[in-house]
Structure formats: structure tokens, C-alpha cells
């Protein structure tokens, strides 16, 4: 508030874009890998905050639209969402700066720890519940992920699992990824209405979440094995769903099956899923 009783101008504090990060405050460290957009590096922000820095290869994303959206994304805050700290947009390539998750993608983590995770239904179910909590938060904020899968979740200390890159799919320029006929389109995580009409919704995220649960309970197997995309599309449209993973409890598989209801409105919300999984988790442990 202003020292005297003069009203504070409405623009106060809006001048510096708080989603804009000064690259001088970033110290880039080792490379973490490369994704759809180019190289991702570990970084330190303001000397001490661990970050992951996506350095966006030119021409891979519609940058101005993304920078506009970043203002909204920085406001999405939940313990099971990878926090967007901000962007460096005053230079090229632009940087997307998020919180750092030290164990990398959930998919690689599941594959690397199959032996220790294998029989541990409690831990696997806990991972499902954490992702569900993050997705229930996005659902509450009418925010659609569009590419939910184990590869787009990340693992931090003490088996914390968080959802990453929510909404980012909208800014990818590669139409091999964006069009459902493209070679990079995530067919195996897509429900019928997305395959036929690219109609995304929180209920299409729920379908993808069912596949993610299957990935978790198979410790990172590829859904539908080596089937070609056209064969998967055919099965999904005929209502053939993924079989129950060997180590998965019947009650858990029942939840996956509901996520794969043909009609979006027959699928549970993330809010309902969270409660159902909590009941199963209490029953199990
Ligand atoms: C013991 N192990 C040693 C090896 N290891 C690592 O090297 C390792 C450690 C930490 C890692 N952390 C992160 N890695 C990444 C990362 C790394 C490489 C690629 C990507 N992904 C992307 O760049 C990316 C993902 C999705 C998408 C669309 C739009 C298609 C949805 C576009 C781009 C992310 C992002 N992060 C955000 C927060 N923390 C991380 C990643 C890897 C993991 C631990």
C-alpha cells in the first residue's frame, strides 16, 4: 500500500513482467536430454534454485502465443504439477524455466526400477494417485493437458511424481506431432473422439490417464506392444482395450477400464478418480 492515503495506481507492479526471467540470473549446468523442442539443461536460478531450462529450438513452437500463455501457466500451482517459474523471451532461443525434478521422466524411472517397483502395488498406486491429484487440479481450472503420458511426468526426491508440460502441445509447430495422422501423434494415449475429431477435453485426458496407469502397473511397457498406429486406431474404435497388467489388482484395473469408456461422458472425472483410488489404496494397505 502507498505510504500516504493516495490511491495506489492500478498499474503498480505490473510494469516488470514477473514471468520474465533475467538470463543473467541463470547458471546453465549439465544437459538433461533433448525433447520435442531441443535441449533441456539443469540450471541454477539466483544462485540457489534448481531449475530445468528448455532451450527452444527456433521454428519448433509458436513462441509469441506460448509467451502469452506462460502468464497463465505460472499461476497454475500444485504440489503434483511441475511449476513453471518463467520464461527468458528477450533473446532467441527462448528459455522455459521450470522447477527441477532430479530423477527424470516417470517412464525412464519405471523402467530403471522395475525390479524394486515390480511387486510394490502400494507404491505404484501412490504414483497413480499423485498424478491424479495434479490432473484434478488442472481439471478444476479447466486446463487440458493434451499429452498426458508417463514420458511427460517427472520424478523428484522421495518418490514425488509430478505432471509436466501441461498445455504445451498446443504450441508445437511440427504437424507430424499435432495432426492425428502424423507419425509423432500420441495415438496410443488418444480416445476415439480425439482420433476421429481431435476433440480434446478433460475427459480425453482421463482416457490418457488410464493408459498412464497401465504404464505404471507394467513398469513402463509400451501400450499395445509393437502394434502399428493404424492397428491401434482400429482396436480402439472397435472397443478393444489394453489387457490387465499381470501384477495389477482387479479393483485397479476396473478403474482403468472406466477411463477407457467409449463415450467421454461415461468416463469418471479426475475428482471422482482421486476419491476412488484413495478408497482402493486404504483397502490395500
Ligand atoms: C539417475 N538418473 C541419471 C539420469 N537422469 C537424468 O539425466 C535426468 C535428471 C533430471 C531430469 N529432469 C528433467 N528433465 C526434463 C526434460 C529432459 C529432456 C526432455 C524433456 N522433455 C521435453 O523437452 C518435452 C516434453 C514434452 C513436450 C511435448 C510438448 C511434446 C508435450 C515437449 C518437450 C524434459 C525436464 N524437467 C523438468 C524438471 N526436471 C526435468 C532429466 C534427466 C535421471 C536420473
Amino acid at each position: 500500500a502507498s505510504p500516504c492515503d493516495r490511491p495506489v495506481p492500478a498499474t503498480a507492479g505490473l510494469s516488470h513482467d514477473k514471468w520474465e526471467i533475467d538470463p543473467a540470473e541463470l547458471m546453465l549446468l549439465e544437459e538433461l536430454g533433448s525433447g520435442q523442442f531441443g535441449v533441456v539443461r539443469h540450471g541454477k536460478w539466483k544462485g540457489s534454485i534448481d531449475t530445468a531450462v528448455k532451450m527452444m529450438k527456433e521454428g519448433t513452437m509458436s513462441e509469441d502465443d506460448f509467451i502469452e500463455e506462460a502468464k497463465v501457466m505460472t499461476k497454475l500451482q500444485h504440489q503434483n504439477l511441475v511449476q513453471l517459474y518463467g520464461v527468458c523471451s528477450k533473446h532467441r532461443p527462448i528459455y522455459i524455466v521450470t522447477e527441477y525434478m532430479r530423477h527424470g521422466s516417470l517412464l525412464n524411472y519405471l523402467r530403471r526400477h522395475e525390479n524394486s517397483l515390480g511387486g510394490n502395488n502400494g507404491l505404484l498406486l501412490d504414483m497413480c494417485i499423485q498424478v491424479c491429484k495434479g490432473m484434478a487440479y488442472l481439471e478444476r481450472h479447466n486446463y487440458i493437458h493434451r499429452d498426458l503420458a508417463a514420458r511427460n511426468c517427472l520424478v523428484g526426491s522421495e518418490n514425488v511424481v509430478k505432471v509436466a508440460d501441461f498445455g504445451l502441445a498446443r504450441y508445437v509447430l511440427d504437424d507430424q506431432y499435432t495432426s492425428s495422422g502424423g507419425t509423432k501423434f500420441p495415438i496410443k494415449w488418444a480416445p476415439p473422439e480425439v482420433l476421429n475429431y481431435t476433440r480434446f477435453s478433460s475427459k480425453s485426458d482421463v482416457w490418457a490417464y488410464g493408459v498412464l496407469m497401465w504404464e505404471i502397473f507394467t513398469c513402463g511397457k509400451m501400450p499395445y506392444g509393437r502394434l502399428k498406429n493404424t492397428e491401434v486406431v482400429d482396436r480402439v474404435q472397435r472397443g478393444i482395450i489394453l489387457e490387465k497388467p499381470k501384477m495389477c489388482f482387479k479393483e485397479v484395473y476396473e478403474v482403468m477400464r472406466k477411463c477407457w469408456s467409449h463415450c467421454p461422458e461415461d468416463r469418471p472425472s479426475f475428482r471422482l478418480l482421486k476419491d476412488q483410488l484413495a478408497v482402493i489404496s486404504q483397502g490395500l494397505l
Side-chain angles (χ1 to χ4, degrees), residues 185-246:
F185 188 86
I187 287 279
K188 295 179 168 182
W189 285 261
E193 73 273 10
V194 166
L195 295 174
N196 296 320
Y197 319 107
T198 29
R199 189 175 304 142
F200 289 100
S201 66
S202 281
K203 290 302 178 75
S204 63
D205 279 351
V206 165
W207 177 290
Y209 176 75
V211 181
L212 196 161
M213 286 181 71
W214 188 91
E215 290 184 275
I216 289 175
F217 276 90
T218 58
C219 285
K221 294 258 178 315
M222 171 59 83
Y224 312 95
R226 314 182 59 74
L227 282 190
K228 289 196 291 293
N229 277 349
T230 47
E231 293 167 322
V232 173
V233 170
D234 182 49
R235 282 178 181 226
V236 166
Q237 287 177 328
R238 284 193 286 126
I240 301 176
I241 59 172
L242 288 162
E243 74 291 344
K244 187 180 81 62
K246 270 183 287 306

Side-chain angles (χ1 to χ4, degrees), residues 12-267:
L14 292 185
S15 55
H16 62 282
D17 307 336
K18 66 188 174 320
W19 58 84
E20 186 66 30
I21 286 177
D22 176 357
E25 291 177 333
L26 269 184
M27 185 185 12
L28 294 176
L29 304 169
E30 81 278 12
E31 187 176 312
L32 297 173
S34 58
Q36 187 81 19
F37 292 119
V39 170
V40 184
R41 292 176 67 171
H42 181 196
K44 286 278 184 185
W45 181 31
K46 294 180 185 165
S48 62
I49 305 170
D50 270 310
T51 65
V53 182
K54 273 196 186 56
M55 307 158 85
M56 309 309 288
K57 204 163 57 193
E58 314 265 338
T60 58
M61 81 181 304
S62 41
E63 293 174 351
D64 298 342
D65 298 352
F66 169 72
I67 291 160
E68 197 50 38
E69 181 67 12
K71 302 169 190 173
V72 174
M73 287 174 162
T74 46
K75 291 193 180 60
L76 294 169
Q77 306 185 357
H78 184 274
Q79 69 268 20
N80 295 112
L81 293 183
V82 174
Q83 183 61 48
L84 173 67
Y85 288 147
V87 295
C88 304
S89 64
K90 303 296 180 219
H91 57 52
R92 291 296 178 270
I94 63 168
Y95 293 172
I96 300 179
V97 184
T98 69
E99 76 171 291
Y100 177 65
M101 300 291 282
R102 58 195 286 265
H103 292 299
S105 84
L106 173 60
L107 182 60
N108 293 336
Y109 188 81
L110 289 166
R111 291 173 172 172
R112 243 194 341 255
H113 295 80
E114 173 161 16
N115 303 332
S116 59
L117 292 172
N120 196 332
N121 270 263
L123 192 54
L124 297 175
L125 188 56
D126 182 59
M127 291 179 164
C128 294
I129 291 171
Q130 290 187 66
V131 172
C132 192
K133 285 176 177 172
M135 289 308 298
Y137 174 91
L138 288 181
E139 182 183 70
R140 224 172 17 258
H141 288 77
N142 301 312
Y143 211 88
I144 305 168
H145 190 297
R146 290 180 175 78
D147 194 357
L148 180 62
R151 64 180 173 278
N152 289 330
C153 292
L154 290 157
V155 183
S157 320
E158 292 102 46
N159 285 316
V160 166
V161 179
K162 303 196 183 192
V163 177
D165 299 313
F166 32 91
L168 209 51
R170 289 170 293 172
Y171 305 102
V172 176
L173 288 176
D174 180 354
D175 53 20
Q176 282 309 320
Y177 171 77
T178 51
S179 86
S180 58
T183 54
K184 296 175 192 166
F185 188 86
I187 287 279
K188 295 179 168 182
W189 285 261
E193 73 273 10
V194 166
L195 295 174
N196 296 320
Y197 319 107
T198 29
R199 189 175 304 142
F200 289 100
S201 66
S202 281
K203 290 302 178 75
S204 63
D205 279 351
V206 165
W207 177 290
Y209 176 75
V211 181
L212 196 161
M213 286 181 71
W214 188 91
E215 290 184 275
I216 289 175
F217 276 90
T218 58
C219 285
K221 294 258 178 315
M222 171 59 83
Y224 312 95
R226 314 182 59 74
L227 282 190
K228 289 196 291 293
N229 277 349
T230 47
E231 293 167 322
V232 173
V233 170
D234 182 49
R235 282 178 181 226
V236 166
Q237 287 177 328
R238 284 193 286 126
I240 301 176
I241 59 172
L242 288 162
E243 74 291 344
K244 187 180 81 62
K246 270 183 287 306
M247 69 172 100
C248 174
F249 285 111
K250 235 176 14 349
E251 303 88 327
V252 174
Y253 183 60
E254 271 317 300
V255 173
M256 293 183 206
R257 285 170 54 99
K258 286 198 202 105
C259 294
W260 299 326
S261 302
H262 206 273
C263 305
E265 49 279 353
D266 294 340
R267 295 171 210 150

